[in-house]
Amino acid sequence: MELASAEPDYDAAAAAESGAAPKSKKRLTTASPPGDTPPDALVELVGRYDARAFEIGRSRARIRLSGAGPSDYDLLLDGEQAKLVPAEGRRVDALLEADAKTWATIAADVQAGMDAYRRGRLKIRRDLHLGVGFLAATAAQGD
């Protein structure tokens, strides 16, 4: 897991790859204050991420992880790379929302993500495949 503050413009890259016109400039407005550090639960989850356990179905993806702390974070998936960065209001492919206690439970118990989803404590928006795939890739048990 790599923590980064600057990253490529995934929106422009995706539009260039597909040949499509850029998407609407309407963006989410969640941002993290400078110097904010990600909650331990998110660091733990991203550290466990195993790209071999999940085919994201595109060259890169952005997943917003919300509710684990005072600020939201985006997980940038690019091949086998996974970077956790402060949310900057960019378009996201999937949104996972839970309260801090639920995120801590998911980080401590590799099987807790889907249980939290079934109980309504974790909400997955936009791309269900991407959200559930992320949970599966963080729950993978060794080789």
Side-chain angles (χ1 to χ4, degrees), residues 40-49 65 103 106-107 134-135 138:
D40 292 341
L42 299 185
V43 172
E44 172 70 23
L45 282 171
V46 174
R48 269 196 330 239
Y49 179 76
L65 305 175
W103 280 118
I106 293 168
F134 166 69
L135 294 174
T138 61

Side-chain angles (χ1 to χ4, degrees), residues 8-123:
D9 184 346
Y10 282 85
D11 296 331
E17 281 180 10
S18 68
K23 301 235 179 200
S24 165
K25 292 295 180 185
K26 182 177 179 184
R27 308 263 184 204
L28 297 174
T29 57
T30 312
S32 300
D36 190 26
T37 58
D40 292 341
L42 299 185
V43 172
E44 172 70 23
L45 282 171
V46 174
R48 269 196 330 239
Y49 179 76
D50 180 1
R52 297 170 299 171
F54 171 55
E55 176 61 46
I56 65 173
R58 58 192 91 176
S59 60
R60 58 182 67 89
R62 179 182 293 265
I63 301 173
R64 172 88 23 95
L65 305 175
S66 181
S71 301
D72 293 343
Y73 282 83
D74 287 352
L75 174 63
L76 307 179
L77 302 177
D78 188 357
E80 292 191 22
Q81 299 283 328
K83 294 181 186 178
L84 191 60
V85 300
E88 295 179 344
R90 295 178 186 241
R91 181 188 66 80
V92 296
D93 299 302
L95 171 64
L96 278 68
E97 297 176 290
D99 62 28
K101 183 178 177 183
T102 300
W103 280 118
T105 301
I106 293 168
D109 178 358
V110 297
Q111 302 300 319
M114 287 309 298
D115 184 54
Y117 175 73
R118 283 189 294 274
R119 293 175 183 266
R121 298 186 56 97
L122 171 67
K123 294 183 178 24

